[in-house]
Amino acid sequence: MSELGQFQDAFVAALAERSAAPIAGWLPDSDGGGEAEPAGLAVYRNTIAKGCVDALAANFPTVAGLVGDDWFRAAAALFAREHPPASAALLAYGEAFADWLERFPPAGDLPYLPAMARLDRMWTTALFAPEAEPLAAEAFALAPDILAAARPRLHPSLAFAGFDSGLPGLWLAARQPEPGELALREDPQAILIARPRDTVTSRVLDLAGFAFLAAARDGASLGEAITAAGQADPAADLAALFAALIADGVFSGLDLGDPA
């Protein structure tokens, strides 16, 4: 490795370890002892720390809005110190933030906060997911037996999850420009997040819709996925459910199987 490369690695280590020791060999040493902590290192550390905090605020806006700017930025600074970014790109920084919040004592009085962070993360993941053209309704204009045997390919941006309480509804309400009074419902809810084209969309997903997508994710045919949806909610309007999912743009392909 070149000396420049060695210095770059040592400089990164000095920032991470909060010590000038890794770069001691490159520091001026006019008095024999060297400068223990060059002022410039603090400037670099503060710049990096601010960038991490700003990135977390952008990637977890619901969490930031619920706890307030002071609380969030203090927590984000602690997280950034424990979890420095792995690359210069901070667009998706914070993969471990939700798990970290579960262990963060000041968040103990806010048990919904890790879930809010996970939902924010799902939104960011959908935003940066690969592009794919969603299937239009015409793609499903097939004979009933062929359609039932077909296996759908889900859009790469699609994310969905189920919860034992109304956390998805709370998250959606908190993301409104004027959220008003927020309330957490006790009934189970699921969430659907996708970016089939230019904009990330999200909505509460009923039990039948969640069962359908979970079956499709696991490789089920459309007929099997519809059966799973009907078992999850016998009262569900399955035709309306399927039409809504097509409108959501959750399908990117259809593999035709053998009707037999």
Side-chain angles (χ1 to χ4, degrees), residues 62-99:
T62 314
V63 176
L66 287 169
V67 300
D69 187 66
D70 290 344
W71 193 103
F72 183 86
R73 298 189 77 84
L78 292 173
F79 172 83
R81 181 176 295 186
E82 296 177 23
H83 298 271
S87 71
L90 298 178
L91 294 175
Y93 177 56
E95 181 179 5
F97 191 49
D99 291 340

PDB file of all heavy atoms in Angstrom, residues 62-99:
ATOM      1  N   THR A  62     -40.235  10.385  10.713  1.00  0.00           N
ATOM      2  CA  THR A  62     -41.352  10.129  11.635  1.00  0.00           C
ATOM      3  C   THR A  62     -40.843  10.062  13.062  1.00  0.00           C
ATOM      4  O   THR A  62     -41.457  10.632  13.981  1.00  0.00           O
ATOM      5  CB  THR A  62     -42.055   8.820  11.268  1.00  0.00           C
ATOM      6  OG1 THR A  62     -42.275   8.776   9.863  1.00  0.00           O
ATOM      7  CG2 THR A  62     -43.387   8.712  11.975  1.00  0.00           C
ATOM      8  N   VAL A  63     -39.746   9.371  13.269  1.00  0.00           N
ATOM      9  CA  VAL A  63     -39.151   9.300  14.608  1.00  0.00           C
ATOM     10  C   VAL A  63     -38.778  10.693  15.077  1.00  0.00           C
ATOM     11  O   VAL A  63     -39.092  11.086  16.213  1.00  0.00           O
ATOM     12  CB  VAL A  63     -37.911   8.384  14.597  1.00  0.00           C
ATOM     13  CG1 VAL A  63     -37.242   8.386  15.970  1.00  0.00           C
ATOM     14  CG2 VAL A  63     -38.289   6.967  14.191  1.00  0.00           C
ATOM     15  N   ALA A  64     -38.132  11.459  14.218  1.00  0.00           N
ATOM     16  CA  ALA A  64     -37.725  12.813  14.590  1.00  0.00           C
ATOM     17  C   ALA A  64     -38.927  13.679  14.947  1.00  0.00           C
ATOM     18  O   ALA A  64     -38.890  14.462  15.901  1.00  0.00           O
ATOM     19  CB  ALA A  64     -36.923  13.452  13.460  1.00  0.00           C
ATOM     20  N   GLY A  65     -40.002  13.553  14.185  1.00  0.00           N
ATOM     21  CA  GLY A  65     -41.188  14.349  14.452  1.00  0.00           C
ATOM     22  C   GLY A  65     -41.865  13.979  15.757  1.00  0.00           C
ATOM     23  O   GLY A  65     -42.429  14.834  16.450  1.00  0.00           O
ATOM     24  N   LEU A  66     -41.813  12.688  16.121  1.00  0.00           N
ATOM     25  CA  LEU A  66     -42.485  12.235  17.338  1.00  0.00           C
ATOM     26  C   LEU A  66     -41.732  12.630  18.603  1.00  0.00           C
ATOM     27  O   LEU A  66     -42.353  12.918  19.628  1.00  0.00           O
ATOM     28  CB  LEU A  66     -42.659  10.712  17.299  1.00  0.00           C
ATOM     29  CG  LEU A  66     -43.719  10.183  16.322  1.00  0.00           C
ATOM     30  CD1 LEU A  66     -43.607   8.671  16.185  1.00  0.00           C
ATOM     31  CD2 LEU A  66     -45.117  10.567  16.787  1.00  0.00           C
ATOM     32  N   VAL A  67     -40.401  12.653  18.550  1.00  0.00           N
ATOM     33  CA  VAL A  67     -39.628  12.913  19.768  1.00  0.00           C
ATOM     34  C   VAL A  67     -39.128  14.347  19.871  1.00  0.00           C
ATOM     35  O   VAL A  67     -38.701  14.777  20.947  1.00  0.00           O
ATOM     36  CB  VAL A  67     -38.433  11.942  19.879  1.00  0.00           C
ATOM     37  CG1 VAL A  67     -38.909  10.505  19.925  1.00  0.00           C
ATOM     38  CG2 VAL A  67     -37.451  12.145  18.724  1.00  0.00           C
ATOM     39  N   GLY A  68     -39.175  15.095  18.780  1.00  0.00           N
ATOM     40  CA  GLY A  68     -38.683  16.467  18.802  1.00  0.00           C
ATOM     41  C   GLY A  68     -37.225  16.548  18.402  1.00  0.00           C
ATOM     42  O   GLY A  68     -36.459  15.579  18.525  1.00  0.00           O
ATOM     43  N   ASP A  69     -36.826  17.712  17.919  1.00  0.00           N
ATOM     44  CA  ASP A  69     -35.500  17.872  17.331  1.00  0.00           C
ATOM     45  C   ASP A  69     -34.384  17.670  18.344  1.00  0.00           C
ATOM     46  O   ASP A  69     -33.399  16.986  18.059  1.00  0.00           O
ATOM     47  CB  ASP A  69     -35.384  19.271  16.704  1.00  0.00           C
ATOM     48  CG  ASP A  69     -34.100  19.443  15.920  1.00  0.00           C
ATOM     49  OD1 ASP A  69     -33.933  18.755  14.892  1.00  0.00           O
ATOM     50  OD2 ASP A  69     -33.252  20.252  16.333  1.00  0.00           O
ATOM     51  N   ASP A  70     -34.499  18.225  19.543  1.00  0.00           N
ATOM     52  CA  ASP A  70     -33.415  18.120  20.523  1.00  0.00           C
ATOM     53  C   ASP A  70     -33.177  16.672  20.926  1.00  0.00           C
ATOM     54  O   ASP A  70     -32.032  16.199  20.972  1.00  0.00           O
ATOM     55  CB  ASP A  70     -33.723  18.967  21.762  1.00  0.00           C
ATOM     56  CG  ASP A  70     -33.665  20.458  21.479  1.00  0.00           C
ATOM     57  OD1 ASP A  70     -33.093  20.840  20.433  1.00  0.00           O
ATOM     58  OD2 ASP A  70     -34.193  21.236  22.290  1.00  0.00           O
ATOM     59  N   TRP A  71     -34.262  15.953  21.261  1.00  0.00           N
ATOM     60  CA  TRP A  71     -34.144  14.552  21.675  1.00  0.00           C
ATOM     61  C   TRP A  71     -33.546  13.730  20.544  1.00  0.00           C
ATOM     62  O   TRP A  71     -32.616  12.939  20.746  1.00  0.00           O
ATOM     63  CB  TRP A  71     -35.529  14.014  22.043  1.00  0.00           C
ATOM     64  CG  TRP A  71     -35.570  12.705  22.773  1.00  0.00           C
ATOM     65  CD1 TRP A  71     -35.788  12.519  24.097  1.00  0.00           C
ATOM     66  CD2 TRP A  71     -35.416  11.384  22.206  1.00  0.00           C
ATOM     67  NE1 TRP A  71     -35.784  11.179  24.413  1.00  0.00           N
ATOM     68  CE2 TRP A  71     -35.554  10.454  23.258  1.00  0.00           C
ATOM     69  CE3 TRP A  71     -35.180  10.896  20.925  1.00  0.00           C
ATOM     70  CZ2 TRP A  71     -35.465   9.074  23.074  1.00  0.00           C
ATOM     71  CZ3 TRP A  71     -35.080   9.524  20.727  1.00  0.00           C
ATOM     72  CH2 TRP A  71     -35.217   8.628  21.794  1.00  0.00           C
ATOM     73  N   PHE A  72     -34.063  13.948  19.328  1.00  0.00           N
ATOM     74  CA  PHE A  72     -33.610  13.125  18.210  1.00  0.00           C
ATOM     75  C   PHE A  72     -32.138  13.363  17.908  1.00  0.00           C
ATOM     76  O   PHE A  72     -31.367  12.413  17.716  1.00  0.00           O
ATOM     77  CB  PHE A  72     -34.445  13.412  16.968  1.00  0.00           C
ATOM     78  CG  PHE A  72     -34.059  12.535  15.802  1.00  0.00           C
ATOM     79  CD1 PHE A  72     -34.632  11.281  15.658  1.00  0.00           C
ATOM     80  CD2 PHE A  72     -33.115  12.954  14.874  1.00  0.00           C
ATOM     81  CE1 PHE A  72     -34.262  10.443  14.610  1.00  0.00           C
ATOM     82  CE2 PHE A  72     -32.735  12.131  13.821  1.00  0.00           C
ATOM     83  CZ  PHE A  72     -33.312  10.872  13.692  1.00  0.00           C
ATOM     84  N   ARG A  73     -31.720  14.611  17.849  1.00  0.00           N
ATOM     85  CA  ARG A  73     -30.343  14.895  17.464  1.00  0.00           C
ATOM     86  C   ARG A  73     -29.358  14.405  18.531  1.00  0.00           C
ATOM     87  O   ARG A  73     -28.251  13.955  18.197  1.00  0.00           O
ATOM     88  CB  ARG A  73     -30.162  16.390  17.179  1.00  0.00           C
ATOM     89  CG  ARG A  73     -31.021  16.873  16.022  1.00  0.00           C
ATOM     90  CD  ARG A  73     -30.685  18.299  15.595  1.00  0.00           C
ATOM     91  NE  ARG A  73     -29.474  18.335  14.809  1.00  0.00           N
ATOM     92  CZ  ARG A  73     -29.428  18.098  13.492  1.00  0.00           C
ATOM     93  NH1 ARG A  73     -30.519  17.792  12.826  1.00  0.00           N
ATOM     94  NH2 ARG A  73     -28.277  18.166  12.849  1.00  0.00           N
ATOM     95  N   ALA A  74     -29.753  14.452  19.788  1.00  0.00           N
ATOM     96  CA  ALA A  74     -28.886  13.916  20.839  1.00  0.00           C
ATOM     97  C   ALA A  74     -28.758  12.397  20.701  1.00  0.00           C
ATOM     98  O   ALA A  74     -27.653  11.843  20.805  1.00  0.00           O
ATOM     99  CB  ALA A  74     -29.442  14.283  22.210  1.00  0.00           C
ATOM    100  N   ALA A  75     -29.876  11.731  20.462  1.00  0.00           N
ATOM    101  CA  ALA A  75     -29.845  10.280  20.277  1.00  0.00           C
ATOM    102  C   ALA A  75     -29.079   9.912  19.014  1.00  0.00           C
ATOM    103  O   ALA A  75     -28.292   8.962  18.999  1.00  0.00           O
ATOM    104  CB  ALA A  75     -31.270   9.731  20.217  1.00  0.00           C
ATOM    105  N   ALA A  76     -29.300  10.653  17.933  1.00  0.00           N
ATOM    106  CA  ALA A  76     -28.632  10.366  16.667  1.00  0.00           C
ATOM    107  C   ALA A  76     -27.124  10.520  16.793  1.00  0.00           C
ATOM    108  O   ALA A  76     -26.362   9.749  16.194  1.00  0.00           O
ATOM    109  CB  ALA A  76     -29.174  11.286  15.577  1.00  0.00           C
ATOM    110  N   ALA A  77     -26.673  11.488  17.568  1.00  0.00           N
ATOM    111  CA  ALA A  77     -25.238  11.679  17.754  1.00  0.00           C
ATOM    112  C   ALA A  77     -24.625  10.483  18.479  1.00  0.00           C
ATOM    113  O   ALA A  77     -23.524  10.025  18.134  1.00  0.00           O
ATOM    114  CB  ALA A  77     -24.976  12.964  18.524  1.00  0.00           C
ATOM    115  N   LEU A  78     -25.325   9.955  19.476  1.00  0.00           N
ATOM    116  CA  LEU A  78     -24.836   8.771  20.182  1.00  0.00           C
ATOM    117  C   LEU A  78     -24.819   7.561  19.254  1.00  0.00           C
ATOM    118  O   LEU A  78     -23.868   6.771  19.252  1.00  0.00           O
ATOM    119  CB  LEU A  78     -25.717   8.494  21.402  1.00  0.00           C
ATOM    120  CG  LEU A  78     -25.636   9.509  22.541  1.00  0.00           C
ATOM    121  CD1 LEU A  78     -26.683   9.192  23.598  1.00  0.00           C
ATOM    122  CD2 LEU A  78     -24.240   9.507  23.155  1.00  0.00           C
ATOM    123  N   PHE A  79     -25.878   7.406  18.456  1.00  0.00           N
ATOM    124  CA  PHE A  79     -25.920   6.284  17.512  1.00  0.00           C
ATOM    125  C   PHE A  79     -24.770   6.384  16.515  1.00  0.00           C
ATOM    126  O   PHE A  79     -24.103   5.386  16.216  1.00  0.00           O
ATOM    127  CB  PHE A  79     -27.253   6.268  16.775  1.00  0.00           C
ATOM    128  CG  PHE A  79     -27.298   5.268  15.645  1.00  0.00           C
ATOM    129  CD1 PHE A  79     -27.582   3.938  15.902  1.00  0.00           C
ATOM    130  CD2 PHE A  79     -27.041   5.663  14.332  1.00  0.00           C
ATOM    131  CE1 PHE A  79     -27.601   3.010  14.866  1.00  0.00           C
ATOM    132  CE2 PHE A  79     -27.068   4.742  13.298  1.00  0.00           C
ATOM    133  CZ  PHE A  79     -27.343   3.412  13.560  1.00  0.00           C
ATOM    134  N   ALA A  80     -24.541   7.578  15.988  1.00  0.00           N
ATOM    135  CA  ALA A  80     -23.492   7.754  14.985  1.00  0.00           C
ATOM    136  C   ALA A  80     -22.113   7.439  15.558  1.00  0.00           C
ATOM    137  O   ALA A  80     -21.249   6.916  14.843  1.00  0.00           O
ATOM    138  CB  ALA A  80     -23.534   9.179  14.440  1.00  0.00           C
ATOM    139  N   ARG A  81     -21.906   7.727  16.825  1.00  0.00           N
ATOM    140  CA  ARG A  81     -20.616   7.412  17.437  1.00  0.00           C
ATOM    141  C   ARG A  81     -20.423   5.897  17.529  1.00  0.00           C
ATOM    142  O   ARG A  81     -19.313   5.393  17.324  1.00  0.00           O
ATOM    143  CB  ARG A  81     -20.524   8.044  18.828  1.00  0.00           C
ATOM    144  CG  ARG A  81     -19.194   7.785  19.534  1.00  0.00           C
ATOM    145  CD  ARG A  81     -19.100   8.502  20.856  1.00  0.00           C
ATOM    146  NE  ARG A  81     -19.110   9.947  20.697  1.00  0.00           N
ATOM    147  CZ  ARG A  81     -18.927  10.817  21.694  1.00  0.00           C
ATOM    148  NH1 ARG A  81     -18.732  10.358  22.920  1.00  0.00           N
ATOM    149  NH2 ARG A  81     -18.955  12.108  21.476  1.00  0.00           N
ATOM    150  N   GLU A  82     -21.510   5.173  17.829  1.00  0.00           N
ATOM    151  CA  GLU A  82     -21.431   3.714  17.952  1.00  0.00           C
ATOM    152  C   GLU A  82     -21.496   3.015  16.592  1.00  0.00           C
ATOM    153  O   GLU A  82     -20.986   1.900  16.435  1.00  0.00           O
ATOM    154  CB  GLU A  82     -22.565   3.207  18.839  1.00  0.00           C
ATOM    155  CG  GLU A  82     -22.500   3.690  20.273  1.00  0.00           C
ATOM    156  CD  GLU A  82     -23.687   3.214  21.098  1.00  0.00           C
ATOM    157  OE1 GLU A  82     -24.298   2.194  20.716  1.00  0.00           O
ATOM    158  OE2 GLU A  82     -24.008   3.864  22.114  1.00  0.00           O
ATOM    159  N   HIS A  83     -22.141   3.652  15.621  1.00  0.00           N
ATOM    160  CA  HIS A  83     -22.332   3.035  14.308  1.00  0.00           C
ATOM    161  C   HIS A  83     -21.918   4.020  13.213  1.00  0.00           C
ATOM    162  O   HIS A  83     -22.769   4.605  12.532  1.00  0.00           O
ATOM    163  CB  HIS A  83     -23.799   2.628  14.113  1.00  0.00           C
ATOM    164  CG  HIS A  83     -24.280   1.607  15.090  1.00  0.00           C
ATOM    165  ND1 HIS A  83     -24.178   0.259  14.864  1.00  0.00           N
ATOM    166  CD2 HIS A  83     -24.863   1.748  16.313  1.00  0.00           C
ATOM    167  CE1 HIS A  83     -24.679  -0.396  15.898  1.00  0.00           C
ATOM    168  NE2 HIS A  83     -25.098   0.481  16.785  1.00  0.00           N
ATOM    169  N   PRO A  84     -20.636   4.217  13.032  1.00  0.00           N
ATOM    170  CA  PRO A  84     -20.197   5.128  11.967  1.00  0.00           C
ATOM    171  C   PRO A  84     -20.595   4.588  10.598  1.00  0.00           C
ATOM    172  O   PRO A  84     -20.743   3.370  10.424  1.00  0.00           O
ATOM    173  CB  PRO A  84     -18.677   5.157  12.134  1.00  0.00           C
ATOM    174  CG  PRO A  84     -18.342   3.882  12.839  1.00  0.00           C
ATOM    175  CD  PRO A  84     -19.501   3.598  13.742  1.00  0.00           C
ATOM    176  N   PRO A  85     -20.793   5.456   9.631  1.00  0.00           N
ATOM    177  CA  PRO A  85     -21.208   4.992   8.301  1.00  0.00           C
ATOM    178  C   PRO A  85     -20.143   4.122   7.656  1.00  0.00           C
ATOM    179  O   PRO A  85     -18.940   4.340   7.839  1.00  0.00           O
ATOM    180  CB  PRO A  85     -21.422   6.299   7.524  1.00  0.00           C
ATOM    181  CG  PRO A  85     -20.643   7.331   8.273  1.00  0.00           C
ATOM    182  CD  PRO A  85     -20.667   6.919   9.705  1.00  0.00           C
ATOM    183  N   ALA A  86     -20.601   3.131   6.893  1.00  0.00           N
ATOM    184  CA  ALA A  86     -19.679   2.216   6.227  1.00  0.00           C
ATOM    185  C   ALA A  86     -19.218   2.748   4.882  1.00  0.00           C
ATOM    186  O   ALA A  86     -18.297   2.199   4.281  1.00  0.00           O
ATOM    187  CB  ALA A  86     -20.329   0.844   6.059  1.00  0.00           C
ATOM    188  N   SER A  87     -19.875   3.790   4.382  1.00  0.00           N
ATOM    189  CA  SER A  87     -19.485   4.377   3.105  1.00  0.00           C
ATOM    190  C   SER A  87     -19.770   5.866   3.148  1.00  0.00           C
ATOM    191  O   SER A  87     -20.438   6.371   4.065  1.00  0.00           O
ATOM    192  CB  SER A  87     -20.248   3.726   1.949  1.00  0.00           C
ATOM    193  OG  SER A  87     -21.609   4.111   1.977  1.00  0.00           O
ATOM    194  N   ALA A  88     -19.280   6.557   2.129  1.00  0.00           N
ATOM    195  CA  ALA A  88     -19.486   8.000   2.073  1.00  0.00           C
ATOM    196  C   ALA A  88     -20.924   8.365   1.742  1.00  0.00           C
ATOM    197  O   ALA A  88     -21.380   9.468   2.038  1.00  0.00           O
ATOM    198  CB  ALA A  88     -18.543   8.614   1.042  1.00  0.00           C
ATOM    199  N   ALA A  89     -21.662   7.454   1.124  1.00  0.00           N
ATOM    200  CA  ALA A  89     -23.057   7.716   0.766  1.00  0.00           C
ATOM    201  C   ALA A  89     -23.937   7.508   1.995  1.00  0.00           C
ATOM    202  O   ALA A  89     -23.971   6.416   2.568  1.00  0.00           O
ATOM    203  CB  ALA A  89     -23.491   6.790  -0.371  1.00  0.00           C
ATOM    204  N   LEU A  90     -24.651   8.558   2.400  1.00  0.00           N
ATOM    205  CA  LEU A  90     -25.485   8.495   3.608  1.00  0.00           C
ATOM    206  C   LEU A  90     -26.972   8.454   3.284  1.00  0.00           C
ATOM    207  O   LEU A  90     -27.805   8.611   4.177  1.00  0.00           O
ATOM    208  CB  LEU A  90     -25.193   9.708   4.498  1.00  0.00           C
ATOM    209  CG  LEU A  90     -23.757   9.820   5.030  1.00  0.00           C
ATOM    210  CD1 LEU A  90     -23.615  11.092   5.863  1.00  0.00           C
ATOM    211  CD2 LEU A  90     -23.386   8.604   5.850  1.00  0.00           C
ATOM    212  N   LEU A  91     -27.312   8.224   2.010  1.00  0.00           N
ATOM    213  CA  LEU A  91     -28.725   8.261   1.617  1.00  0.00           C
ATOM    214  C   LEU A  91     -29.555   7.229   2.353  1.00  0.00           C
ATOM    215  O   LEU A  91     -30.740   7.451   2.615  1.00  0.00           O
ATOM    216  CB  LEU A  91     -28.850   8.059   0.096  1.00  0.00           C
ATOM    217  CG  LEU A  91     -28.266   9.171  -0.766  1.00  0.00           C
ATOM    218  CD1 LEU A  91     -28.353   8.797  -2.240  1.00  0.00           C
ATOM    219  CD2 LEU A  91     -28.998  10.490  -0.516  1.00  0.00           C
ATOM    220  N   ALA A  92     -28.953   6.089   2.671  1.00  0.00           N
ATOM    221  CA  ALA A  92     -29.699   5.036   3.363  1.00  0.00           C
ATOM    222  C   ALA A  92     -29.074   4.713   4.717  1.00  0.00           C
ATOM    223  O   ALA A  92     -29.249   3.616   5.249  1.00  0.00           O
ATOM    224  CB  ALA A  92     -29.761   3.780   2.495  1.00  0.00           C
ATOM    225  N   TYR A  93     -28.363   5.658   5.286  1.00  0.00           N
ATOM    226  CA  TYR A  93     -27.676   5.433   6.562  1.00  0.00           C
ATOM    227  C   TYR A  93     -28.684   5.171   7.679  1.00  0.00           C
ATOM    228  O   TYR A  93     -29.735   5.788   7.749  1.00  0.00           O
ATOM    229  CB  TYR A  93     -26.819   6.658   6.896  1.00  0.00           C
ATOM    230  CG  TYR A  93     -26.112   6.602   8.223  1.00  0.00           C
ATOM    231  CD1 TYR A  93     -25.267   5.558   8.543  1.00  0.00           C
ATOM    232  CD2 TYR A  93     -26.284   7.618   9.165  1.00  0.00           C
ATOM    233  CE1 TYR A  93     -24.600   5.515   9.756  1.00  0.00           C
ATOM    234  CE2 TYR A  93     -25.619   7.596  10.378  1.00  0.00           C
ATOM    235  CZ  TYR A  93     -24.777   6.533  10.672  1.00  0.00           C
ATOM    236  OH  TYR A  93     -24.125   6.498  11.883  1.00  0.00           O
ATOM    237  N   GLY A  94     -28.348   4.237   8.570  1.00  0.00           N
ATOM    238  CA  GLY A  94     -29.182   3.981   9.733  1.00  0.00           C
ATOM    239  C   GLY A  94     -29.818   2.621   9.756  1.00  0.00           C
ATOM    240  O   GLY A  94     -30.844   2.424  10.423  1.00  0.00           O
ATOM    241  N   GLU A  95     -29.227   1.654   9.079  1.00  0.00           N
ATOM    242  CA  GLU A  95     -29.826   0.313   9.015  1.00  0.00           C
ATOM    243  C   GLU A  95     -30.066  -0.266  10.405  1.00  0.00           C
ATOM    244  O   GLU A  95     -31.065  -0.941  10.630  1.00  0.00           O
ATOM    245  CB  GLU A  95     -28.915  -0.613   8.203  1.00  0.00           C
ATOM    246  CG  GLU A  95     -29.445  -2.027   8.044  1.00  0.00           C
ATOM    247  CD  GLU A  95     -28.533  -2.896   7.212  1.00  0.00           C
ATOM    248  OE1 GLU A  95     -27.447  -2.431   6.829  1.00  0.00           O
ATOM    249  OE2 GLU A  95     -28.911  -4.051   6.945  1.00  0.00           O
ATOM    250  N   ALA A  96     -29.179   0.010  11.353  1.00  0.00           N
ATOM    251  CA  ALA A  96     -29.286  -0.570  12.695  1.00  0.00           C
ATOM    252  C   ALA A  96     -30.014   0.338  13.675  1.00  0.00           C
ATOM    253  O   ALA A  96     -30.076   0.031  14.876  1.00  0.00           O
ATOM    254  CB  ALA A  96     -27.886  -0.888  13.226  1.00  0.00           C
ATOM    255  N   PHE A  97     -30.578   1.441  13.209  1.00  0.00           N
ATOM    256  CA  PHE A  97     -31.134   2.447  14.124  1.00  0.00           C
ATOM    257  C   PHE A  97     -32.317   1.908  14.925  1.00  0.00           C
ATOM    258  O   PHE A  97     -32.432   2.165  16.129  1.00  0.00           O
ATOM    259  CB  PHE A  97     -31.544   3.685  13.334  1.00  0.00           C
ATOM    260  CG  PHE A  97     -31.885   4.882  14.175  1.00  0.00           C
ATOM    261  CD1 PHE A  97     -31.047   5.304  15.193  1.00  0.00           C
ATOM    262  CD2 PHE A  97     -33.043   5.606  13.948  1.00  0.00           C
ATOM    263  CE1 PHE A  97     -31.353   6.412  15.977  1.00  0.00           C
ATOM    264  CE2 PHE A  97     -33.370   6.718  14.720  1.00  0.00           C
ATOM    265  CZ  PHE A  97     -32.522   7.113  15.740  1.00  0.00           C
ATOM    266  N   ALA A  98     -33.202   1.162  14.288  1.00  0.00           N
ATOM    267  CA  ALA A  98     -34.381   0.645  14.998  1.00  0.00           C
ATOM    268  C   ALA A  98     -33.966  -0.304  16.118  1.00  0.00           C
ATOM    269  O   ALA A  98     -34.483  -0.215  17.248  1.00  0.00           O
ATOM    270  CB  ALA A  98     -35.314  -0.057  14.019  1.00  0.00           C
ATOM    271  N   ASP A  99     -33.043  -1.219  15.837  1.00  0.00           N
ATOM    272  CA  ASP A  99     -32.568  -2.136  16.877  1.00  0.00           C
ATOM    273  C   ASP A  99     -31.859  -1.369  17.986  1.00  0.00           C
ATOM    274  O   ASP A  99     -31.986  -1.709  19.171  1.00  0.00           O
ATOM    275  CB  ASP A  99     -31.613  -3.162  16.268  1.00  0.00           C
ATOM    276  CG  ASP A  99     -32.325  -4.147  15.348  1.00  0.00           C
ATOM    277  OD1 ASP A  99     -33.558  -4.285  15.464  1.00  0.00           O
ATOM    278  OD2 ASP A  99     -31.640  -4.758  14.500  1.00  0.00           O
TER     279      ASP A  99
END
